[in-house]
Amino acid sequence: MHSPDTDSILIVGAGHCGGRTAQALRAFGWTGGIDLVGDEESPPYERPALSKDALTGAKALAELDLMAPDALQALALRRHTARVTAVDAAARTAQLSNGSTLHYSALLFANGGSPRALAIPGADLPQVLTLRTKADALRLAPWLQAGKRLVVIGGGFIGLEVASSARKLGCSVSLVEGAPQLMGRAVPALLAERAQALHRSRGVDLHIGVSPLAIAPVAAGVQVALSDGSTLQADAVVVGIGIVPGTAVAQAAGVAVARGILVDRQLRTNVPHIYAAGDVAEFPSHVSGTLLRQETWQNAESQAQVVAHNLMGGQVDFAASSWFWSDQYDHQLQVCGEPAAGVQTTVREQEDGDVLVFYTDAHDKIVGASGWGLTARIAKDLKIARTLVERGVSASPSVLADPATKLKSLLK
Ligand SMILES: Cc1cc2nc3c(=O)[nH]c(=O)nc-3n(C[C@H](O)[C@H](O)[C@H](O)COP(=O)(O)OP(=O)(O)OC[C@H]3O[C@@H](n4cnc5c(N)ncnc54)[C@H](O)[C@@H]3O)c2cc1C
């Protein structure tokens, strides 16, 4: 039995991973105290719908919450709506922005990241917005109405999902992406090209390989100047150019950071009693040992389970296979496993026009897969592809490429 006063786990960040960790701690029998410190007003929630159903109004923001109010209450957390501003690792205390000091027996950084700022003139205009939180979605809502003109800067998942939601709502949308392909290197060019064609067919004015240089107020909104000399007129601009992981407080406490807060396989930092999980954590892949930082729903979910065990004194390795999805219009993209660990890439063009890409190692073991297609059609295949990766099934490229091979048959 732990005493809530002397044995207390402090969770920095009351988002997806922080909330799930608190839930898991209680599920695993932690009877000590849990201090959940978060700087958002909302109880912990899942973010994916923010750029999808919650943005189109198909889902209310309250529906995103990780648990119902009574379930949250039952966890008997000490919730603090504040920022953790400093951690003293020797004294095992944390300073909060509201002036209080909390003592901990173990501490978890689950504080995610904040949207990367666009470093061009005019990026601070009130019509220039980002999307990370419920508050951001509320700020964005008035601009997402039929007839409004939106410029999206960034052709990553969030930018493309915002474009898709805005088109559904009847906005006119221009999207600017500086790189030569959409969705960066996490997605094969073939899939990115399909997404590009879909967005064009749905009326998005795409500017690829072009950078924004400045945003200026004009009589009817704002004007975005682009590197190819053209300009775009808009009522609002949404910037989706990635996040900056929140490493500063950890680093000041002596925690090693690189592209995120560095942790080992058990999600422990180099500082005793301090852990990190979720978007902010940089961890060694169980497949290749490569250091990874994942900004995905599934990573937040699965690391929460492992870190909860370890915060309670367990020694569980994080070895979940990674996976993420993106919904754009009636299409879905998924990437699972570790495509970069593959030595061979095999494309499987399905008869219905959907496409899957498999990544195999030198022994034909499937180490990663990705796919793009009509959600209603491809979701089942993507689920099987994910299971193939999770089980480490081996199959030759010719078998994988053949649309006549039933993917399910490879599971046997
Ligand atoms: C619009 C959007 C759409 C997405 N769609 C998908 C999707 O389709 N598929 C997918 O796989 N993933 C998606 N994601 C990613 C997924 O939501 C994240 O990976 C997940 O939220 C990460 O959880 P986290 O707990 O690590 O971070 P977060 O959920 O961001 O939680 C971190 C919390 O910590 C708080 N915080 C930060 N610093 C401090 C501090 N010093 N003190 C106290 N609190 C602090 C933050 O305000 C935040 O509330 C999406 C994300 C966004 C923003």
Side-chain angles (χ1 to χ4, degrees):
M1 195 75 176
H2 304 277
S3 151
D5 298 322
T6 51
D7 300 303
S8 217
I9 293 174
L10 170 54
I11 303 176
V12 184
H16 187 172
C17 191
R20 279 283 184 252
T21 303
Q23 213 174 10
L25 283 168
R26 290 296 184 224
F28 300 156
W30 176 254
T31 52
I34 302 176
D35 288 291
L36 181 64
V37 189
D39 58 356
E40 290 188 68
E41 289 294 334
S42 171
Y45 62 97
E46 301 180 34
R47 297 179 198 277
L50 288 178
S51 48
K52 309 175 185 75
D53 285 356
L55 207 56
T56 60
K59 230 178 197 176
L61 287 179
E63 289 180 66
L64 277 47
D65 293 350
L66 282 184
M67 55 202 119
D70 53 346
L72 185 61
Q73 182 90 27
L75 297 180
L77 311 174
R78 294 187 289 245
R79 279 182 65 202
H80 310 263
T81 306
R83 285 187 75 73
V84 170
T85 53
V87 169
D88 182 336
R92 287 207 233 162
T93 56
Q95 293 298 319
L96 270 52
S97 53
N98 61 12
S100 50
T101 302
L102 299 176
H103 184 267
Y104 64 83
S105 40
L107 179 144
L108 170 67
F109 280 106
N111 56 313
S114 42
R116 187 178 298 282
L118 186 65
I120 62 170
D124 53 353
L125 287 167
Q127 302 95 325
V128 181
L129 302 150
T130 52
L131 180 57
R132 179 78 189 171
T133 63
K134 283 187 179 180
D136 293 339
L138 288 171
R139 268 190 291 273
L140 197 50
W143 301 103
L144 293 189
Q145 288 173 18
K148 294 269 189 205
R149 300 159 306 161
L150 195 69
V151 167
V152 177
I153 295 179
F157 305 113
I158 291 182
L160 291 168
E161 289 181 358
V162 168
S164 157
S165 297
R167 287 297 297 140
K168 281 186 193 164
L169 292 167
C171 303
S172 72
V173 180
S174 300
L175 185 141
V176 182
E177 167 56 54
Q181 86 165 50
L182 297 175
M183 298 188 284
R185 281 173 300 166
V187 170
L190 176 68
L191 271 53
E193 281 157 20
R194 302 275 166 107
Q196 183 174 324
L198 180 70
H199 280 272
R200 283 222 159 95
S201 75
R202 301 294 169 103
V204 177
D205 169 34
L206 288 175
H207 299 259
I208 295 176
V210 179
S211 303
L213 297 181
I215 307 170
V218 290
V222 292
Q223 175 171 291
V224 184
L226 302 180
S227 56
D228 63 0
S230 63
T231 54
L232 299 170
Q233 312 294 319
D235 296 300
V237 176
V238 178
V239 179
I241 53 170
I243 65 163
V244 179
T247 55
V249 173
Q251 189 169 24
V255 174
V257 307
R259 291 181 307 139
I261 298 177
L262 285 168
V263 290
D264 64 12
R265 281 172 199 267
Q266 296 182 1
L267 308 178
R268 298 177 298 203
T269 69
N270 60 313
V271 174
H273 314 292
I274 299 186
Y275 297 72
D279 280 13
V280 80
E282 189 173 0
F283 60 95
S285 150
H286 72 285
V287 179
S288 62
T290 311
L291 287 176
L292 304 173
R293 197 173 61 74
Q294 304 259 309
E295 296 168 14
T296 69
W297 178 93
Q298 186 265 353
N299 184 62
E301 285 278 313
S302 51
Q303 289 198 338
Q305 304 303 311
V306 170
V307 86
H309 270 297
N310 295 346
L311 284 162
M312 291 171 63
Q315 297 203 329
V316 180
D317 280 359
F318 176 68
S321 182
S322 65
W323 164 67
F324 71 85
W325 82 98
S326 172
D327 293 317
Q328 297 167 34
Y329 311 97
D330 48 1
H331 279 57
Q332 189 168 80
L333 169 103
Q334 284 193 25
V335 179
C336 65
E338 207 174 327
V343 295
Q344 169 125 19
T345 302
T346 304
V347 175
R348 176 185 163 104
E349 289 278 4
Q350 314 239 85
E351 278 138 4
D352 50 21
D354 296 345
V355 63
L356 291 163
V357 183
F358 290 96
Y359 310 87
T360 42
D361 70 8
H363 310 288
D364 283 351
K365 187 169 108 173
I366 306 169
V367 292
S370 54
W372 166 266
L374 198 64
T375 309
R377 255 189 341 233
I378 201 163
K380 217 166 73 201
D381 285 333
L382 286 169
K383 196 158 179 237
I384 300 171
R386 184 145 57 100
T387 312
L388 291 171
V389 173
E390 281 164 6
R391 292 196 192 164
V393 168
S394 294
S396 72
S398 58
V399 165
L400 289 171
D402 184 357
T405 306
K406 289 243 177 297
L407 286 180
K408 219 172 164 182
S409 70
L410 302 176
L411 286 173
K412 289 176 188 139

